[in-house]
Amino acid sequence: MEEGTLKSPSHCTGTDDDHARQWDTREGCEVRQILDRVADKWSLLVIALLDVRTMRFTELRREIDGVSQRMLTVTLRQLERDGLVRRTVHPVVPPRVDYQLTPLGATLHDTIQALVTWTEDHQGEIATARAAYDQREAKAETTAGAERPSEGAQLAVGRA
């Protein structure tokens, strides 16, 4: 069992507010565990690729830039455990293993696609906000640096 995974389903309790319960940030919350799984970058990429077609492990690894063999293995196992990916082993030599989205995984892809579309639609606004933030931060650092005496000046004052 994966570290941090609970053996029995847990429910987000301790509040009467259904909205707060839905977004409970406690580690034991099953909703949080599922969101952590399906929202990580490797899972998102695997789901996006498998929406197009069934793929073999080596194809997935080749297509996902930067993923290690171990990380891809862990990601596929977790997605299979959650019922989002189906793993099919073909009885041939050498063994052939295919991965495909389950119907449940396909519904998640629709949600991910909405997020990608939102990102594409707003990437210009986000780039503008980032540039403005970076400019404010750079100005704040410059201003803070000008207000502090230099290290040499502090030493000279200390000797006087």
Side-chain angles (χ1 to χ4, degrees), residues 12-73:
C12 308
T13 58
T15 178
D16 291 330
D17 183 359
D18 285 340
H19 182 72
R21 186 176 300 134
Q22 179 183 1
W23 293 100
D24 196 326
T25 58
R26 288 176 286 181
E27 203 168 318
C29 178
E30 190 171 355
V31 171
R32 176 181 167 184
Q33 291 173 4
I34 294 168
L35 285 171
D36 286 348
R37 169 78 29 80
V38 299
D40 81 65
K41 69 179 178 179
W42 303 125
S43 294
L44 290 173
L45 292 169
V46 166
I47 291 166
L49 287 169
L50 292 179
D51 184 63
V52 177
R53 64 184 174 90
T54 299
M55 297 179 81
R56 296 174 76 174
F57 183 91
T58 54
E59 293 175 300
L60 286 165
R61 183 149 183 234
R62 194 177 321 119
E63 291 292 323
I64 302 174
D65 190 34
V67 70
S68 68
Q69 181 171 336
R70 180 186 181 287
M71 196 67 236
L72 182 56
T73 298

